[in-house]
């Protein structure tokens, strides 16, 4: 797939340089030596390791009824450098189908398009109740919901720890009981 993309879509020829990554921080500058669409060969010129941000952001978001909206979210989250994405199944989640291979492909495409070198970890869907009781090291846990109550502005919570987890609900929001359980497990309403 990558050979075809380099040769047929980008129309690269022998002698041209391109950037490659493994999604684990390595940026490899290479030169095309054979521009065959099924087995493009490159010569590595040099590589650079980009360290991952010290501040880790995990977003736990409900699967959405409209799959294209969830795919758009994955794309944008990858482009801005989110570390982990946890698909949620909440009480009001309408669609519970998750095509792992397609979703990972979207993340890879977004990583390459935005010239990121770190691919976010895309987890399998988990039930909301399992997420809230899970232990996270040095983590500021937040829940974004629409119920009128005292909430903190999100920007005030961002810099307070090295790891932030933000939970986002489905269409129709989290249920009142889900919000209460989250708050009992140290989630801050934002």
């Amino acid at each position: 797939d990558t050979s075809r993309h380099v040769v047929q879509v980008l129309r690269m020829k022998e002698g041209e340089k391109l950037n490659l990554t493994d999604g684990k921080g390595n940026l490899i500058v290479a030169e095309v030596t054979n521009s065959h669409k099924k087995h493009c060969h490159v010569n590595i010129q040099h590589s650079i390791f980009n360290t991952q941000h010290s501040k880790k952001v995990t977003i736990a978001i409900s699967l959405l009824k409209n799959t294209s909206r969830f795919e758009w979210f994955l794309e944008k989250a990858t482009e801005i450098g989110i570390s982990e994405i946890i698909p949620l199944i909440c009480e009001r989640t309408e669609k519970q189908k998750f095509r792992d291979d397609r979703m990972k492909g979207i993340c890879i495409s977004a990583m390459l398009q935005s010239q990121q070198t770190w691919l976010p970890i895309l987890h399998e869907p988990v039930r909301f109740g399992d997420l809230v009781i899970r232990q996270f090291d040095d983590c500021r846990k937040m829940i974004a919901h629409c119920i009128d109550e005292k909430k903190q502005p999100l920007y005030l919570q961002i810099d307070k720890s090295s790891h932030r987890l933000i939970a986002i609900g489905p269409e129709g929001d989290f249920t009142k009981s889900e919000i209460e359980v989250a708050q009992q497990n140290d989630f801050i309403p934002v």
Side-chain angles (χ1 to χ4, degrees), residues 2-3 6-7 32-42:
T2 303
S3 287
V6 166
V7 175
V32 177
T33 58
N34 179 358
S35 59
H36 189 279
K37 68 180 178 181
K38 290 190 179 179
H39 47 82
C40 179
H41 291 219
V42 297

Side-chain angles (χ1 to χ4, degrees), residues 5-164:
H5 183 76
V6 166
V7 175
Q8 291 186 311
V9 177
L10 300 176
R11 299 185 188 280
M12 297 189 90
K13 306 281 184 217
E14 284 90 0
E16 291 189 72
K17 293 194 181 344
L18 75 149
N19 292 332
L20 303 169
T21 185
D22 59 0
K24 297 176 184 171
N26 292 302
L27 174 65
I28 300 157
V29 178
E31 180 181 324
V32 177
T33 58
N34 179 358
S35 59
H36 189 279
K37 68 180 178 181
K38 290 190 179 179
H39 47 82
C40 179
H41 291 219
V42 297
N43 184 22
I44 296 173
Q45 304 293 304
H46 65 276
S47 68
I48 303 163
F49 180 75
N50 294 316
T51 57
Q52 197 167 21
H53 294 285
S54 60
K55 300 237 179 205
K56 181 179 173 182
V57 177
T58 300
I59 295 185
I61 182 170
S62 174
L63 293 172
L64 301 172
K65 182 168 57 171
N66 184 337
T67 304
S68 63
R69 283 187 178 181
F70 189 81
E71 291 172 355
W72 180 86
F73 165 79
L74 287 177
E75 181 181 310
K76 299 308 167 197
T78 301
E79 288 173 357
I80 64 171
I82 297 300
S83 307
E84 292 184 58
I85 301 164
I86 305 172
L88 290 177
I89 298 173
C90 304
E91 288 180 40
R92 292 182 178 153
T93 300
E94 291 187 34
K95 187 169 189 170
Q96 298 184 8
K97 186 178 180 189
F98 183 77
R99 291 185 47 207
D100 186 58
D101 55 334
R102 177 165 172 75
M103 301 304 168
K104 284 185 179 169
I106 289 167
C107 289
I108 290 169
S109 293
M111 175 190 66
L112 296 172
Q113 184 70 29
S114 61
Q115 300 181 356
Q116 297 281 344
T117 56
W118 285 94
L119 182 66
I121 298 167
L122 179 60
H123 295 270
E124 290 290 321
V126 298
R127 299 227 168 263
F128 181 73
D130 295 335
L131 174 80
V132 295
I133 61 170
R134 194 166 126 193
Q135 295 297 313
F136 294 91
D137 295 335
D138 185 32
C139 185
R140 169 77 79 188
K141 299 183 290 187
M142 296 163 272
I143 182 168
H145 65 80
C146 299
I147 294 176
D148 274 341
E149 67 171 34
K150 187 177 178 190
K151 294 186 248 185
Q152 299 283 324
L154 182 61
Y155 70 89
L156 291 178
Q157 301 301 319
I158 294 299
D159 291 329
K160 295 192 176 181
S161 69
S162 62
H163 182 190
R164 282 105 31 190

